[in-house]
């Protein structure tokens, strides 16, 4: 059964802010219309402080633009009433409707001229609420002023409530590093909404957070697209340090050209298809020679056809050039074939001079991978390179393998990392 989500802090804050609007309106002598304050409050209560400020600015701009045009139209309607024109009710209704509709053009155009296009909707809402609901008022100035006050009260309450938090020390000196699969991502490789909101909020407030994963950068960018990562990520099992913002490979621990060619030659001689992952000028090139792998089956074909759609991967059907370093070689075969290949590699003692990983595929049952790295390519070594860049006082890691991480996370509990990180970062007990 699908788990029912908990009531979040944003919902609680919204309810508190709505109630405060009632209180403020009472102490104003109930001269305002609390509904307008509450609309502004709900618009300003957002998950992120930056969004709250942005929405507040939009609402303020929209209020003044709409109120200005609304006041002009109310004064014009008052002039018409005072003129006591001899027209029928229906004709007067149409005249007001036509004037209102024409002025909407000027309201929208004003937001363009003033470079406040994001406030166009709110300008129209304020304008119509003044003109349509209060077109018959005898004192347009008082109502328009109250309408502006109502909105500004709501904005101030909304921003104040959203910014409020109990005093707490945030540990910006700690570097937090989390795994990805079975740690932050669920079985469908998705990051849930709670994790997105809390991670972005903490990063915005100064959390030093990054990822460490076997995935290449292309496989990180998609599931983490909504996370505003500021630090580079450790990818390819510690083979690279990648900046997701600038799309640059900042550090690489590669297999040198001479050794890479020897490995490629050995695999070719044994008729083993490989994918050589090479970084050239911050571009990932993946060389593979389909003619070598005579048993290149539909699953292998499907893997290539699926992955090559990414703009961050570039597949090239040719042998590895002799002048390229290699981040890692990847072999992808049915599991029984992989076991035989792994035995061949061990016999040739390749695993003594290089880091060789052998593990089953989650996406393709019955198939497995072998990946060959530089012997020094590791999460631990890349963390040291990252520490030289940002100089944290302490590093805390999260993962699913006991003994390899500071905090071991139960597979499938995708909220656990964020829960624990939140307590450590905000010094909560």
């Amino acid at each position: 059964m699908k788990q029912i989500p908990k009531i979040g802090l944003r919902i609680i804050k919204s309810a508190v802010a709505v109630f405060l609007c009632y209180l403020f309106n009472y102490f104003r002598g109930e001269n305002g219309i609390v509904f307008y304050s509450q609309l502004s409050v709900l618009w300003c209560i957002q998950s992120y402080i930056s969004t709250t400020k942005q929405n507040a600015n939009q609402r303020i701009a929209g209020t003044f633009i709409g109120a200005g045009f609304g006041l002009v139209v109310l004064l014009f309607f008052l002039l018409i009433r005072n003129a006591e024109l001899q027209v029928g009710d229906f004709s007067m209704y149409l005249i007001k409707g036509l004037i209102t509709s024409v002025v909407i053009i000027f309201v929208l155009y004003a937001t363009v001229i003033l470079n406040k296009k994001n406030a166009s909707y709110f300008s129209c809402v304020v304008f119509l609420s003044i003109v349509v609901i209060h077109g018959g008022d005898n004192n347009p100035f008082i109502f328009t002023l109250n309408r502006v006050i109502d909105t500004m009260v709501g904005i101030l309450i909304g921003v104040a409530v959203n910014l409020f938090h109990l005093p707490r020390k945030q540990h910006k000196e700690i570097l937090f590093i989390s795994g990805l699969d079975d740690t932050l991502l669920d079985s469908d490789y998705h990051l849930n909404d709670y994790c997105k909101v809390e991670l972005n909020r903490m990063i915005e407030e100064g959390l030093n957070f990054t990822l460490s994963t076997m995935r290449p950068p292309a496989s990180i960018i998609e599931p983490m697209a909504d996370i505003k990562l500021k630090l580079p990520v450790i990818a390819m099992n510690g083979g690279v340090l990648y900046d997701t913002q600038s799309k640059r490979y900042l550090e690489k621990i590669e297999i040198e050209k001479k050794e890479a060619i020897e490995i490629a030659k050995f695999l070719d001689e044994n008729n083993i298809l490989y994918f050589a992952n090479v970084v050239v000028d911050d571009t990932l090139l993946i060389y593979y020679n389909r003619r070598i792998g005579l048993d290149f089956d539909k699953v292998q074909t499907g893997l290539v056809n699926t992955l090559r759609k990414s703009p961050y991967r570039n597949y090239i059907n040719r042998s590895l050039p002799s002048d390229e370093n290699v981040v890692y070689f990847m072999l992808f075969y049915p599991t029984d074939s992989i076991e035989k290949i792994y035995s061949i590699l061990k016999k040739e003692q390749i695993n003594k001079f290089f880091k060789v990983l052998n593990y089953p595929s989650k996406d393709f049952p019955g198939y497995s991978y072998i990946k060959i790295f530089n012997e020094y390519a590791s999460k631990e070594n890349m963390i040291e390179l990252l520490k030289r860049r940002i100089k944290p006082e302490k590093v805390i890691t999260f993962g699913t393998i006991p003994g390899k991480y500071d905090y071991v996370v139960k597979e499938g509990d995708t909220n656990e990392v964020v829960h624990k990180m939140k307590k450590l970062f905000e010094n909560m007990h």
Side-chain angles (χ1 to χ4, degrees):
M1 293 180 64
K2 187 175 180 179
Q3 186 177 5
I4 298 175
K6 297 179 181 179
I7 295 176
L9 184 59
R10 181 181 174 186
I11 296 175
I12 301 298
K13 285 184 174 182
S14 297
V16 170
V18 166
F19 179 71
L20 290 176
C21 288
Y22 276 116
L23 286 181
F24 192 89
N25 191 54
Y26 176 79
F27 289 112
R28 276 186 68 197
E30 299 186 58
N31 291 322
I33 300 178
V34 71
F35 169 74
Y36 294 128
S37 298
Q38 291 165 338
L39 283 182
S40 298
V41 152
L42 294 175
W43 179 252
C44 290
I45 298 289
Q46 297 292 323
S47 301
Y48 312 123
I49 301 302
S50 58
T51 310
T52 292
K53 294 177 180 178
Q54 180 183 355
N55 284 9
N57 289 332
Q58 289 178 8
R59 192 77 182 184
I60 291 170
T63 297
F64 282 102
I65 293 171
F69 281 98
L71 177 60
V72 171
V73 173
L74 285 187
L75 290 172
F76 186 71
F77 286 172
L78 181 60
L79 183 64
I80 291 176
R81 289 199 305 274
N82 292 337
E84 297 182 353
L85 299 177
Q86 300 299 314
V87 295
D89 291 341
F90 181 67
S91 298
M92 182 58 71
Y93 182 81
L94 290 180
I95 290 171
K96 289 184 176 181
L98 180 61
I99 292 171
T100 301
S101 302
V102 170
V103 175
I104 276 286
I105 297 174
F106 294 98
V107 173
L108 292 170
Y109 189 59
T111 64
V112 175
I113 295 296
L114 297 173
N115 197 26
K116 298 292 183 181
K117 289 183 282 188
N118 289 335
S120 59
Y121 171 75
F122 308 107
S123 299
C124 293
V125 168
V126 173
F127 171 74
L128 292 173
S129 68
I130 291 173
V131 172
V132 175
I133 300 176
H134 295 272
D137 284 15
N138 291 321
N139 197 329
F141 290 100
I142 292 179
F143 172 74
T144 303
L145 177 61
N146 281 330
R147 177 68 179 87
V148 171
I149 292 174
D150 290 335
T151 300
M152 297 305 295
V153 166
I155 291 171
L156 292 174
I157 291 175
V159 171
V161 169
N162 221 25
L163 291 178
F164 175 80
H165 58 75
L166 296 174
R168 59 184 184 270
K169 175 179 172 57
Q170 293 178 320
H171 292 282
K172 300 179 182 180
E173 76 283 0
I174 300 176
L175 170 61
F176 295 92
I177 303 176
S178 173
L180 198 58
D181 296 310
D182 299 321
T183 307
L184 279 177
L185 303 183
D186 60 23
S187 58
D188 295 323
Y189 302 118
H190 291 144
L191 185 67
N192 67 45
D193 290 338
Y194 167 80
C195 291
K196 290 178 184 178
V197 169
E198 287 300 316
L199 278 177
N200 280 330
R201 180 189 63 78
M202 289 190 289
I203 290 172
E204 188 177 73
E205 294 178 8
L207 172 75
N208 285 316
F209 170 76
T210 191
L211 302 163
S212 176
T213 176
M214 293 185 67
R215 290 172 174 251
S219 295
I220 300 173
I221 291 171
E222 184 176 347
M224 300 298 289
D226 295 327
I227 303 302
K228 301 173 183 177
L229 290 170
K230 295 181 180 179
L231 298 181
V233 298
I234 298 169
M236 298 180 179
N237 198 57
V240 299
L241 186 66
Y242 183 77
D243 189 331
T244 59
Q245 293 184 322
S246 65
K247 306 295 187 292
R248 294 186 57 216
Y249 290 84
L250 305 180
E251 302 280 359
K252 295 175 289 183
I253 301 178
E254 302 169 299
I255 300 172
E256 296 296 329
K257 302 171 187 176
K258 182 179 178 181
E259 296 172 325
I261 287 299
E262 290 178 357
I263 292 174
K265 182 180 178 182
F266 172 78
L267 295 174
D268 286 344
E269 289 173 350
N270 286 272
N271 198 34
I272 299 171
L273 173 72
Y274 63 81
F275 298 88
N277 291 258
V278 176
V279 175
V280 179
D281 295 332
D282 294 312
T283 300
L284 178 62
L285 306 179
I286 304 175
Y287 292 98
Y288 71 105
N289 192 340
R290 187 166 185 169
R291 293 185 298 276
I292 294 298
L294 300 179
D295 58 346
F296 197 81
D297 63 23
K298 63 180 183 180
V299 176
Q300 292 167 318
T301 302
L303 177 71
V304 173
N305 289 340
T306 298
L307 297 183
R308 75 186 319 151
K309 295 176 183 178
S310 167
Y312 304 104
R313 295 184 180 94
N314 301 275
Y315 281 84
I316 303 173
N317 187 9
R318 55 161 290 185
S319 298
L320 175 69
S322 59
D323 59 345
E324 300 287 9
N325 295 333
V326 175
V327 178
Y328 71 96
F329 289 88
M330 185 184 83
L331 317 180
F332 178 67
Y333 278 96
T335 299
D336 55 349
S337 299
I338 282 290
E339 294 302 328
K340 294 176 183 177
I341 295 171
Y342 188 66
S343 297
I344 294 173
L345 296 178
K346 286 181 66 177
K347 184 177 180 181
E348 294 296 320
Q349 296 188 326
I350 288 180
N351 61 315
K352 284 192 175 183
F353 303 101
F354 301 94
K355 182 177 180 178
V356 182
L357 304 179
N358 175 11
Y359 61 93
S361 170
K362 290 185 177 181
D363 298 318
F364 302 94
Y367 281 70
S368 292
Y369 298 98
I370 286 177
K371 292 184 178 178
I372 305 172
F373 296 84
N374 181 305
E375 62 178 321
Y376 297 108
S378 68
K379 176 196 72 176
E380 292 76 17
N381 287 338
M382 199 55 78
I383 287 176
E384 290 303 314
L385 293 177
L386 177 59
K387 285 167 63 177
R388 294 178 192 175
R389 289 176 173 269
I390 64 173
K391 297 179 173 56
E393 294 182 12
K394 183 179 181 180
V395 176
I396 296 178
T397 59
F398 300 85
T400 57
I401 304 174
K404 294 196 67 175
Y405 299 92
D406 297 311
Y407 290 93
V408 178
V409 179
K410 181 181 178 181
E411 288 189 21
D413 189 350
T414 55
N415 290 337
E416 187 177 351
V417 171
V418 177
H419 278 311
K420 187 64 179 178
M421 195 182 305
K422 185 176 177 181
K423 291 181 179 180
L424 294 170
F425 174 63
E426 299 181 339
N427 202 27
M428 299 167 60
H429 301 284

